Amino acid sequence: MNTAEKIRLKGIKATPQRQLVYEVLEVSCHAPIDEITKKVHTKNPCITVASIYRILDSFCEVGLVSLLNHPGGKSYYDITPTMHHHIYTDDNKVLDYVDEELTELIKNRLREGQFKDLNIEQILVQIFAKK
Amino acid sequence: MNTAEKIRLKGIKATPQRQLVYEVLEVSCHAPIDEITKKVHTKNPCITVASIYRILDSFCEVGLVSLLNHPGGKSYYDITPTMHHHIYTDDNKVLDYVDEELTELIKNRLREGQFKDLNIEQILVQIFAKK
DNA sequence: TTTGCAATTGATAAAAATTATCATTTTATT
DNA sequence: AATAAAATGATAATTTTTATCAATTGCAAA
């Protein structure tokens, strides 16, 4: 399945601008918007910043990407193929931490206790660490 | 222990501005900076926005508050008396979820495996749920 | 294939959020 | 009370994000 199809699958139009942004996201995890913009502009400098914001917005709405909120700074976008957690290091990097078992463990833990009635949709663990 | 002492305890000066910000934080959980500013200004309109940024920054550095990662929005500040996690509900509320045992559990889990060399400083679990 | 319309974009400006600078004031210590 | 380091206010600049609107484009239906 190519990029255009992936986008169309979510019910939004597959414009060339959107395809380009999507392809940039695919190769750059946890990218802040200014980095995304830079990379997009190397391929096509005509795409407006406003458009990139709108494109990322629409991607968020349909669930193609998720908005990370990196502490102390700007917003980061992350493509969302599989559930994963994040490790924030002191040198401002974000590492993926895939641990499906941990996710399940937390879910089970929540099924007991005061919050057992909640309908859990997602669990994200953020780990802050020094290298 | 009064506010000034709590602040001094962390090794920074207890200015009146800092005390006021701290007291506002104590009664407003998960507040975005503009809300904090508003509340601070009802008590003392002279305090600059720049100062509030600096104060929250310094509080973060010494661990008096932590910067929440509220997905999809601006940065939220949260006073950190005890470590706690957050439950984000579909009606846009943020609930505290105190579970020290879970925190330890995750820490221990990370001590094995690929990330065992990381020096973990903090762990935050975000739970997204429908009520 | 062509047509039509809603959705999207570019261009631009405006608004909002954050950081920088620096002289002045203040805190905590001597 | 004197002192040095730290913090603040005032201000401006920078950065990030959103709004507006005319022109363009994707795509579904004729």
Side-chain angles (χ1 to χ4, degrees):
Chain A
M1 183 163 50
N2 64 25
T3 309
E5 287 171 325
K6 284 181 202 165
I7 295 172
R8 244 179 261 124
L9 208 67
K10 295 285 182 174
I12 58 176
K13 290 186 180 175
T15 66
Q17 292 91 336
R18 281 183 176 161
Q19 293 176 47
L20 179 49
V21 170
Y22 188 89
E23 279 156 14
V24 164
L25 283 169
E26 275 188 319
V27 295
S28 28
C29 287
H30 325 295
I33 203 160
D34 53 334
E35 249 179 53
I36 296 172
T37 304
K38 243 184 262 168
K39 289 189 186 175
V40 165
H41 279 172
T42 63
K43 298 273 183 178
N44 180 352
C46 297
I47 300 179
T48 324
V49 193
S51 287
I52 295 179
Y53 272 94
R54 282 179 301 217
I55 288 168
L56 288 170
D57 249 23
S58 60
F59 281 3
C60 278
E61 269 179 45
V62 301
L64 275 176
V65 306
S66 61
L67 179 55
L68 290 194
N69 226 342
H70 195 286
K74 12 185 178 181
S75 297
Y76 281 58
Y77 289 87
D78 197 5
I79 209 159
T80 49
T82 58
M83 244 310 298
H84 58 270
H85 305 293
H86 291 115
I87 299 175
Y88 300 88
T89 63
D90 55 337
D91 56 344
N92 259 9
K93 295 265 163 60
V94 186
L95 308 174
D96 278 348
Y97 172 42
V98 180
D99 190 344
E100 207 46 52
E101 212 179 302
L102 174 62
T103 313
E104 282 309 310
L105 204 144
I106 298 172
K107 263 189 200 163
N108 290 334
R109 198 181 173 79
L110 279 157
R111 273 197 257 280
E112 316 153 2
Q114 51 174 325
F115 295 117
K116 62 166 157 260
D117 293 330
L118 282 180
N119 177 13
I120 297 170
E121 297 199 306
Q122 201 187 11
I123 291 185
L124 292 181
V125 179
Q126 303 178 304
I127 294 142
F128 300 88
K130 279 191 182 170
K131 268 193 171 168
Chain B
M1 184 162 53
N2 62 26
T3 309
E5 287 172 324
K6 284 181 203 166
I7 294 171
R8 246 179 256 122
L9 207 68
K10 296 285 182 174
I12 58 175
K13 292 184 180 175
T15 65
Q17 293 89 339
R18 280 184 177 160
Q19 292 175 49
L20 179 48
V21 170
Y22 187 89
E23 279 155 15
V24 164
L25 284 169
E26 275 188 319
V27 295
S28 27
C29 287
H30 326 293
I33 202 160
D34 53 334
E35 250 179 52
I36 296 171
T37 304
K38 243 184 261 169
K39 288 189 186 176
V40 166
H41 279 173
T42 64
K43 298 272 183 180
N44 180 352
C46 297
I47 300 179
T48 325
V49 193
S51 287
I52 295 179
Y53 272 95
R54 281 180 300 218
I55 288 169
L56 288 169
D57 250 21
S58 60
F59 282 3
C60 277
E61 266 179 47
V62 301
L64 275 176
V65 305
S66 62
L67 183 54
L68 284 199
N69 299 71
H70 195 289
K74 12 186 179 183
S75 298
Y76 281 59
Y77 289 88
D78 197 6
I79 208 158
T80 49
T82 58
M83 244 310 299
H84 58 270
H85 305 293
H86 293 113
I87 299 174
Y88 300 88
T89 62
D90 56 337
D91 55 345
N92 257 9
K93 295 264 162 61
V94 186
L95 308 174
D96 278 347
Y97 171 44
V98 180
D99 190 344
E100 207 45 53
E101 213 179 300
L102 174 62
T103 312
E104 281 309 309
L105 205 144
I106 297 172
K107 263 190 201 165
N108 290 334
R109 196 180 174 81
L110 279 157
R111 272 196 256 281
E112 317 153 1
Q114 52 173 328
F115 296 115
K116 62 166 157 258
D117 292 329
L118 283 180
N119 177 13
I120 297 169
E121 298 200 305
Q122 202 187 11
I123 291 184
L124 291 180
V125 179
Q126 302 178 304
I127 294 143
F128 300 88
K130 281 192 180 170
K131 268 192 168 169

